[in-house]
Amino acid sequence: MAMMPAESVGQQVLFLRSLVLNQGEHIEREKARRRTPVVGYLCSYTPVELLRAAGTWPVRLNPGPRSIGHADAHIQSFACSFARGVVEALFDGSLDYLDGIVFPYTCDSLRAAAEIWQAERPGLFFHFLNLPLRMDGRAAAAFLREEFEHLGRRLAEAFRDPAPALAGELGRQRTMDGMYRALWARRGSSAYSAGDFLALAWARESLPLEEATALVQRLLMEDGGASHGGRPVLVAGGAVEDPAVLDDLERCGLRVVADDLCTGSRAFAYQATTCPDPWEALVRKYLDRVHCPTKHPAEGRIEHLLRQVEASGATAVIFLLQKYCESHAFDYPHLVDVLRQAGVPCMMVEIEQGSTFGGQTATRVQAFLETAGGEVV
Amino acid sequence: MKVSRLKTGQDLKRLIAGHYASAFRARYLRRPVAWVTSGAPVELLRAMGVLPVYPENYGALCGARRVAVELCEEAEAAGYRRDLCSYARLNIGSMLSGRGPLRGRGLPKPDLLIAVNNICHVVVKWWEVTARHLGCPLYVLDVPFVPSGREVTAHQLAYVREGLEEMVEFVARHTGRRLREGRLRRVLALSTEATLLWRRIQDRRMADPSPASALDMFTSMFPMVTLRGTRACVSYLQRLDQELAERVAAGAGPVPKARYRLLWDNIAIWFAFGLVRYVHQRGGVFVAETYTHAWGEYLYEAGDGHPMEDLARQYSRILLNVGLEERFRRMAEAIRRYRVDGVVFHSCRSCKTYSLGQLVLARRVREELGLPTVVIEADMADPRNYAEGPTRTRLDAFFEILEGRLDSVKGRGS
């Protein structure tokens, strides 16, 4: 029996949208059936292949829209709502089903959230995964390998030795990511909305792998395409937790044809090289990928953004930036300069967990589309 | 309340003026200038004849001279959001506008940029912005975080050491200057000497009355930040130590009859030193600050050790690069040694590495050490993120708790 309903693909996508916002409810039920330990993780730099090879079910956690109450006593209001949501989830019981959690080092706010988890939840398998900040450093690969091997040793102690199954898991993930890239390349003419695509991206990181693979396979065959029209745009930014945010955007008269989001395609946009040593392959996958703004140097991402604009036919870029997210906010003025010089108009919409577009934001987006010029498809 | 200031304050003024003057002179003397973050291994640069300049210190200066807002607004107009670090915003604003408090100008232009992530991620982003704007070569030294429950591992040390070697090559490539080991050892010895003096100076504050308060120490730390590894730094600290020793002998201090010995956590609020004076008026005196103590970490082994290994270790273990467990351990040790009665946490909106996690520390101080705490929200440089009235009200409530505790101790004793 699968976790997803076995009905039409459209219904499956609807289920995914519910899964993204109600992870706990669905995963807890499925966990009881599968009897597989669930390890939550916070960002796409987590080596999910390693977690699966250790016999766990990795689930990327989405704090989602939730009111903040408990977290106020532990983390200040000037941390981003994503980090605050992660802390809130620690105390409101919604993540009690977890058997473990992995925090990769991305930014200062999530580091703090990790520290709070570590202090407040003794007994839970907790791992802080150090990552190189400089992805082009001479010793970055050796350092990352050692960090991955360290995580592997800890997983072996808590669950199962991941080494024997690692190569197989790398292959399965690689196959699925290839399908995701193919699906994303067709999204401009897809019948599905940007919110649906966001839910699909979350599904890649929270469904059991075989189900995510089957779903994307089905979509590749069955999405006949009946695009709903609108001006083609690319959305860029950090973590977008709620699919409704992207649907609100599309209702303003645009169509998202590509993304560069932490919770979108950035994690699978790059096709990793293969190598015989699975640990080396794991390192290369995470070292050579398209990086987020918390990594240095930043130039690779800028190039990726421009290439995506070209390849997708996007005529504008909408930045969706989490309030208080410093890494993205520092890059923003430069990205705007580069894009405008390339003739691509852009605008920024500030988002917070649980926020949907108010009328004012919708008016801003519509005004932007009108004044930015260009043909509306 | 009249607070007696340190006589060495005049020396300090000369040192600060001299530091910035030498930065402006450097280009005429063909001496390379590097803008560095406060956690940069400055000893390597000094040994290579490169003059380090600290935009963070410049940020403090702008904050203290109350010119931060106009500079921040320059950056905000260029698209940098107001919730970003105020040091970064005011530096970017100064760079974009060419304005600042140093003879009406900003910092002298650098020849190279060095950023280290051992204090936060923000500095890397800020330095990237700077590199793009000035077209200046940038080197980022990656120093991994040391989480609670883990020590600095051998592979982490090897990684940082490789990064240091790469940094030396970078500096040599852009300046034509080589690293001479003998000179590096001399610089490290001076750093160690300064650190030992700084520790001794801090230790003098165990006396009652404390010979110095946060007002003195926030400014006196300038040479430890910007001049570490120089003879000038050591000479200044010797004079400061002497002055504090004399104060202790005379039973003198900024608040001779202080009732409460306090600890300050986080960066100073550079534009609101009046708040520290208000604490004095209420009978409190800061006898320790985690911020000023953080500069007492740079001890290097003498002799034939491996300086790069030593540097890698020291710069990995600095306060903002270690987990909350270690931060609490260091805080608890300071509370014990300096006989602290209560802790003031400055929750600084600009500094997430320092501030996020403070609420956990505050709770542990209350629950495990039984001391009262207060959290005040402000900013180190941008007064728009600060409200004097509510802050004083919070401090008033804190002093009431302190007073109640003192009364109950007296009651038990009688």
Side-chain angles (χ1 to χ4, degrees), chain A residues 118-367:
Chain A
Q118 187 177 18
E120 301 292 341
R121 230 6 218 285
L124 181 78
F125 174 84
F126 171 93
H127 191 83
F128 188 90
L129 178 66
N130 253 330
L131 297 166
L133 173 118
R134 258 194 73 192
M135 296 317 219
D136 63 344
R138 275 202 304 242
F143 177 75
L144 187 57
R145 180 174 180 141
E146 187 59 46
E147 287 295 321
F148 281 167
E149 286 181 350
H150 175 59
L151 172 59
R153 288 190 292 275
R154 293 214 54 226
L155 288 168
E157 284 164 20
F159 305 104
R160 177 175 92 194
D161 181 7
L166 182 57
E169 291 299 341
L170 273 159
R172 295 207 306 150
Q173 183 74 37
R174 189 180 159 79
T175 303
M176 183 177 72
D177 284 353
M179 290 182 195
Y180 260 87
R181 276 194 297 279
L183 186 66
W184 248 246
R186 287 166 33 175
R187 75 184 286 183
S189 57
S190 170
Y192 292 97
S193 73
D196 296 336
F197 269 85
L198 188 78
L200 276 163
W202 274 105
R204 174 183 163 274
E205 297 176 307
S206 50
L207 276 182
L209 185 130
E210 66 279 4
E211 288 201 36
T213 308
L215 171 70
V216 74
Q217 224 163 5
R218 214 174 147 186
L219 274 164
L220 279 168
M221 287 187 297
E222 293 180 24
D223 184 2
S227 172
H228 48 83
R231 181 177 177 142
V233 301
L234 181 149
V235 290
V240 179
E241 296 146 87
D242 186 352
V245 170
L246 294 188
D247 287 343
D248 287 346
L249 248 189
E250 288 200 325
R251 272 194 280 275
C252 296
L254 52 85
R255 181 161 48 92
V256 177
V257 292
D259 78 74
D260 177 44
L261 296 172
C262 293
T263 49
S265 70
R266 196 184 301 131
F268 56 82
Y270 173 78
Q271 183 171 352
T273 49
T274 52
C275 35
D277 174 2
W279 291 99
E280 185 61 23
L282 193 67
V283 166
R284 294 293 8 142
K285 181 185 167 187
Y286 289 92
L287 213 52
D288 299 340
R289 57 165 280 183
V290 178
H291 291 299
C292 81
T294 66
K295 303 286 174 279
H296 175 83
E299 277 59 36
R301 179 177 165 236
I302 297 166
E303 197 184 312
H304 172 69
L305 198 58
L306 286 170
R307 278 186 204 284
Q308 279 220 88
V309 167
E310 233 172 69
S312 66
T315 58
V317 173
I318 311 271
F319 287 90
L320 297 173
L321 301 190
Q322 284 258 351
K323 194 170 182 183
Y324 299 120
C325 175
E326 292 169 316
S327 306
H328 279 278
F330 269 107
D331 278 358
Y332 173 70
H334 178 59
L335 290 173
V336 169
D337 273 356
V338 171
L339 286 164
R340 285 188 181 150
Q341 277 171 34
V344 184
C346 25
M347 75 169 292
M348 189 254 277
V349 175
E350 197 168 71
I351 56 170
E352 271 197 290
Q353 192 187 81
S355 68
T356 46
F357 276 22
Q360 203 181 358
T361 309
T363 308
R364 267 187 65 216
V365 174
Q366 283 156 356

Side-chain angles (χ1 to χ4, degrees), chain B residues 10-275:
Chain B
Q10 290 306 315
D11 298 346
L12 189 62
K13 278 185 184 163
R14 278 194 292 276
L15 269 185
I16 296 171
H19 168 71
Y20 284 110
S22 68
F24 278 106
R25 272 199 309 270
R27 58 188 288 228
Y28 303 105
L29 302 173
R30 293 191 192 147
R31 189 177 180 195
V33 169
W35 284 6
V36 302
T37 56
S38 60
V42 68
E43 291 86 353
L44 281 177
L45 295 173
R46 293 214 174 273
M48 295 178 82
V50 175
L51 183 71
V53 169
Y54 290 78
E56 287 157 82
N57 179 260
Y58 177 72
L61 187 81
C62 292
R65 295 201 187 171
R66 294 168 185 265
V67 295
V69 172
E70 57 184 283
L71 297 175
C72 284
E73 283 172 349
E74 293 280 355
E76 289 155 20
Y80 295 95
R81 286 193 333 211
R82 199 176 140 174
D83 56 59
L84 292 175
C85 164
S86 56
Y87 278 176
R89 273 181 292 132
L90 74 85
N91 268 278
I92 292 169
S94 182
M95 182 175 69
L96 296 178
S97 66
R99 290 190 285 114
L102 302 172
R103 304 173 198 160
R105 288 178 290 173
L107 287 173
K109 279 190 180 154
D111 299 286
L112 59 160
L113 300 163
I114 309 278
V116 189
N117 59 332
N118 54 1
I119 51 164
C120 63
H121 258 113
V122 162
V123 286
V124 177
K125 302 308 297 176
W126 164 9
W127 259 240
E128 283 176 354
V129 170
T130 308
R132 281 185 208 118
H133 184 76
L134 298 177
C136 200
L138 162 66
Y139 182 80
V140 173
L141 175 68
D142 187 5
V143 177
F145 177 57
V146 185
S148 295
R150 270 179 95 173
E151 292 300 315
V152 184
T153 60
H155 85 275
Q156 183 168 341
L157 274 184
Y159 177 60
V160 179
R161 196 176 154 164
E162 184 65 32
L164 289 168
E165 302 280 0
E166 219 178 322
M167 176 179 148
V168 170
E169 290 167 28
F170 168 86
V171 174
R173 193 163 59 247
H174 291 285
T175 64
R177 305 208 171 200
R178 288 191 302 124
L179 178 66
R180 291 187 178 83
E181 194 171 319
R183 192 165 173 196
L184 176 60
R185 286 186 190 281
R186 284 196 294 280
V187 172
L188 291 175
L190 285 169
S191 258
T192 302
E193 197 177 345
T195 298
L196 290 171
L197 274 163
W198 187 244
R199 287 184 177 187
R200 194 158 82 200
I201 288 162
Q202 295 281 21
D203 283 354
R204 296 205 186 278
R205 301 170 72 195
M206 290 177 193
D208 194 7
S210 170
S213 175
L215 280 181
D216 306 304
M217 301 309 286
F218 282 145
T219 46
S220 298
M221 63 181 256
F222 169 84
M224 278 308 287
V225 181
T226 58
L227 299 171
R228 222 164 51 249
T230 67
R231 176 57 58 197
C233 177
V234 169
S235 303
Y236 166 78
L237 293 175
Q238 283 168 337
R239 290 193 295 280
L240 176 61
D241 180 48
Q242 180 62 33
E243 184 173 2
L244 293 198
E246 287 165 9
R247 278 189 169 193
V248 171
V255 192
K257 291 183 181 161
R259 301 179 75 203
Y260 315 110
R261 298 169 62 85
L262 305 175
L263 173 81
W264 173 276
D265 185 60
N266 216 325
I267 308 173
I269 308 172
W270 297 110
F271 55 85
F273 274 10
L275 195 69

